């Protein structure tokens, strides 16, 4: 006797539906699937099913119908864009978040909820008189885009034509006493009174997250691995002097706080120096007539953990001379490029030097000794710019120091402020700051006011931005 094939019953189909789609499948869709399966069992012709030759094929096609209808349900319930398109960082506005924070700063990380973005109308305008006379920070991010933060007025400006026109992009509630950090052409983070804000479209939209203000005692320092992977480090009172929050989605959500500590160095104020890109830095000063502490510490996670390094000791970097880190970059192989400044006892000056870290934290390879008075900016592990204001000179390399090209500016760079106030976006485009007291610029009445200058030709010529 031939074995009888199993019959596909309604209960079997319904069990398959539950297993594939969960209990949230609409009842009317369930009934539709059952009707389709009944048609299969009765071998009826339908617009989408031909006559079936046997029971085995009936079962297989019924399962296919179930799968297609379940997929249609998933698309209806979740939205096709969420299944087949990467969700943007900026989300549609929602209601205010409910924030749950463990009062213990050493607690395990928790997720912080976030509201939707704040929409702002950005209208470009030319440079206004006095607008750039109190520059506190800036980033020239590309050959066309730059950011500027000013104290008076308390403002954040962005340009897409290297300073001919500007838009004001500060997040709501931000003031001159608050924190701001520029990342790239579209991204910046800010913090004011415990609210962390982020934009990834040049200030058109913002996402905001509030942390527990009772736990922090100052404004945040931001460090970045990428534009979306960032740390916000707050000073705090109590046994844990740092509280660290972390985002991996561009500021839509943050986890924390985790407890951070500043490594102890005797000749230091116990404060973090930095940030330098993705790193926080701690190094010592020097006591008179005492040996220098030839160590520095770097943290790549906002101050939660630290790695101890030993400064290179050589003829141009004697053990007893005070040393400091002026630039850091991480190479593709994970090693560090570090520019080190030497401040020896007495009147003799020593030039900065570029080192590459070795297999351990006390081993270094000398890459380049810079001309006396020059500083370096790492645009990437291979592209560097060297800036000197006495004598005036600009040089650049695109092969990690293998070959250099240089240019003599048509104007003196002597009056430009130290390297914290000059930077390049590419080997052609850069900005630098002068003080009014060192310039004969028209309309410059306050000797302490700032003047912003830019170059588009690798430093050969400099013109005042906004003039």
């Amino acid at each position: 006797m031939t074995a009888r094939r199993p019959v596909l019953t309604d209960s079997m189909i319904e069990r398959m539906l539950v297993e594939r789609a969960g209990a949230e499948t609409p009842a009317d869709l369930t009934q539709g699937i059952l009707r389709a399966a009944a048609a299969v069992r009765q071998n009826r012709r339908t617009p989408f099913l031909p006559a079936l030759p046997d029971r085995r094929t009936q079962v297989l096609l019924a399962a296919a119908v179930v799968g297609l209808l379940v997929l249609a349900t998933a698309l209806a319930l979740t939205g096709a864009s969420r299944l087949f398109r990467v969700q943007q960082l900026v989300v549609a506005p929602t209601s205010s978040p409910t924030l749950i924070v463990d009062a213990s700063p050493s607690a395990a990380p928790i997720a912080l909820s976030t509201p939707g973005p704040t929409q702002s109308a950005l209208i470009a305008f030319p440079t206004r008189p006095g607008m750039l006379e109190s520059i506190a920070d800036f980033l020239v991010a590309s050959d066309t885009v730059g950011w500027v933060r000013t104290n008076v007025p308390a403002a954040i400006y962005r340009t897409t034509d290297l300073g001919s026109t500007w838009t004001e992009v500060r997040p709501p509630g931000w003031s001159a006493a608050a924190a701001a950090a520029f990342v790239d052409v579209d991204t910046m983070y800010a913090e004011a009174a415990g609210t962390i804000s982020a934009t990834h479209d040049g200030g058109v939209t913002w996402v905001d997250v509030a942390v527990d203000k009772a736990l922090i005692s100052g404004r945040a320092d931001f460090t970045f691995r990428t534009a979306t992977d960032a740390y916000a480090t707050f000073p705090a009172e109590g046994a844990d002097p740092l509280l660290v929050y972390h985002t991996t989605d561009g500021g839509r959500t943050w986890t924390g706080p985790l407890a951070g500590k500043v490594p102890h160095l005797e000749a230091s104020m116990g404060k973090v120096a930095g940030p330098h890109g993705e790193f926080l830095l701690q190094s010592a000063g020097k006591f008179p007539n005492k040996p220098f502490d030839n160590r520095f510490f770097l943290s790549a996670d906002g101050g939660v953990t630290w790695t101890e390094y030993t400064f290179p000791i050589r003829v141009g970097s004697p053990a007893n001379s005070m040393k400091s880190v002026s630039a850091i970059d991480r190479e593709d192989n994970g090693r560090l490029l570090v520019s080190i400044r030497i401040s020896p006892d007495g009147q003799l000056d020593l030039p900065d030097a570029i080192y590459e870290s070795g297999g351990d934290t006390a081993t270094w390879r000398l890459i380049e000794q810079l001309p006396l008075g020059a500083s370096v900016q790492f645009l990437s592990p291979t592209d560097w710019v060297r800036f000197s204001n006495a004598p005036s000179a600009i040089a650049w390399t695109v092969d990690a120091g293998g070959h250099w090209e240089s240019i003599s500016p048509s104007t003196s760079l002597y009056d430009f402020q130290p390297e914290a106030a000059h930077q390049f976006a590419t080997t052609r485009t850069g900005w630098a700051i002068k003080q009014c007291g060192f310039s004969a610029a028209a309309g410059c009445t306050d000797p302490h006011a700032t003047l912003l200058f830019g170059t588009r030709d690798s430093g050969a010529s400099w013109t005042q931005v906004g003039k």
Side-chain angles (χ1 to χ4, degrees):
M1 175 180 287
T2 303
R4 184 175 182 180
R5 299 177 184 270
V7 178
L8 188 64
T9 65
D10 288 356
S11 60
M12 292 171 61
I13 296 172
E14 195 162 9
R15 185 168 62 253
M16 291 169 57
L17 177 65
V18 171
E19 290 174 352
R20 290 173 177 263
E24 297 180 356
T25 304
D28 55 347
L29 180 60
T30 303
Q31 295 303 316
I33 294 173
L34 294 177
R35 286 194 298 272
V40 171
R41 288 197 306 271
Q42 296 171 21
N43 198 17
R44 295 174 180 171
R45 294 184 179 270
T46 67
F48 55 93
L49 285 177
L52 303 180
D54 55 39
R55 294 283 187 178
R56 175 183 176 84
T57 308
Q58 292 178 25
V59 172
L60 292 176
L61 284 180
V65 171
V66 171
L68 289 173
L69 291 176
V70 167
L71 177 60
T73 305
L75 292 174
L77 293 175
T78 64
S81 62
R82 293 189 60 185
L83 288 180
F84 299 111
R85 185 176 59 203
V86 176
Q87 189 177 14
Q88 295 180 352
L89 289 176
V90 178
V91 296
T94 61
S95 59
S96 299
T98 300
L99 182 63
I100 303 175
V101 176
D102 192 316
S104 170
S106 300
I110 57 172
L112 305 179
S113 57
T114 175
T118 300
Q119 304 287 338
S120 57
L122 301 183
I123 301 174
F125 56 87
T127 307
R128 298 165 180 162
M131 188 181 89
L132 303 176
E133 291 187 0
S134 63
I135 295 177
D137 189 20
F138 68 90
L139 172 70
V140 53
S142 74
D143 285 326
T144 57
V145 177
W147 303 78
V148 170
R149 175 169 66 92
T150 61
N151 290 324
V152 182
I156 298 172
Y157 303 106
R158 181 175 179 267
T159 178
T160 57
D161 50 23
L162 215 60
S164 296
T165 60
W166 303 84
T167 53
E168 188 169 359
V169 296
R170 64 176 179 175
W174 186 88
S175 68
F182 309 123
V183 183
D184 57 27
V185 293
D186 293 315
T187 303
M188 72 160 288
Y189 288 74
E191 178 270 325
T195 295
I196 305 174
S197 304
T199 181
H200 297 274
D201 54 13
V204 177
T205 58
W206 296 85
V207 287
D208 305 303
V209 171
V211 300
D212 192 340
K213 292 187 291 185
L215 298 177
I216 60 180
S217 65
R219 70 184 192 181
D221 278 326
F222 291 99
T223 48
F224 308 93
R225 291 176 176 170
T226 66
T228 55
D229 189 346
Y231 291 88
T233 303
F234 292 86
E237 303 290 350
D240 299 313
L242 300 178
L243 294 179
V244 183
Y245 294 86
H246 183 208
T247 182
T248 57
D249 58 9
R252 291 179 57 203
T253 59
W254 296 79
T255 57
L258 288 178
K261 294 185 181 294
V262 182
H264 176 70
L265 291 169
E266 186 178 6
S268 74
M269 300 293 292
K271 296 181 179 179
V272 173
H276 289 264
E278 67 175 293
F279 298 103
L280 292 178
L281 168 69
Q282 167 72 326
S283 63
K286 187 173 187 311
F287 286 128
N289 303 317
K290 287 189 176 183
F292 175 70
D293 190 337
N294 282 285
R295 297 180 299 159
F296 67 96
F297 294 82
L298 295 178
S299 175
D301 57 11
V304 178
T305 61
W306 296 81
T307 301
E308 178 183 331
Y309 293 84
T310 301
F311 279 111
I313 307 299
R314 51 183 292 272
V315 173
S317 180
N320 197 46
S321 295
M322 178 176 167
K323 306 168 186 68
S324 58
V325 175
S326 57
I328 311 172
D329 195 35
R330 190 190 296 273
E331 296 179 310
D332 294 338
N333 60 12
R335 296 190 175 187
L336 301 182
L337 284 174
V338 178
S339 179
I340 294 176
R341 178 154 302 159
I342 314 299
S343 303
D345 292 335
Q347 300 301 313
L348 179 65
D349 289 330
L350 293 173
D352 291 9
I354 301 172
Y355 293 86
E356 181 187 53
S357 65
D360 58 70
T361 58
T363 303
W364 299 91
R365 181 172 70 94
L366 178 63
I367 300 293
E368 185 89 15
Q369 184 160 297
L370 304 182
L372 187 63
S375 59
V376 70
Q377 177 189 352
F378 300 126
L379 304 180
S380 74
T382 57
D383 294 8
W384 313 341
V385 175
R386 195 174 70 206
F387 187 102
S388 175
N389 54 6
S392 298
I394 302 289
W396 62 94
T397 177
V398 295
D399 58 5
H403 302 85
W404 289 87
E405 296 184 60
S406 61
I407 198 166
S408 296
S410 59
T411 183
S412 172
L413 305 180
Y414 182 78
D415 296 336
F416 287 120
Q417 295 182 10
E419 68 269 13
H422 59 71
Q423 60 178 248
F424 281 73
T426 66
T427 56
R428 292 190 55 82
T429 304
W431 278 351
I433 290 178
K434 287 184 181 181
Q435 282 191 332
C436 259
F438 296 98
S439 174
C444 192
T445 57
D446 181 357
H448 301 292
T450 57
L451 301 172
L452 183 62
F453 285 77
T455 181
R456 298 174 184 261
D457 53 14
S458 301
S461 61
W462 295 81
T463 56
Q464 187 177 349
V465 175
K467 295 293 184 181

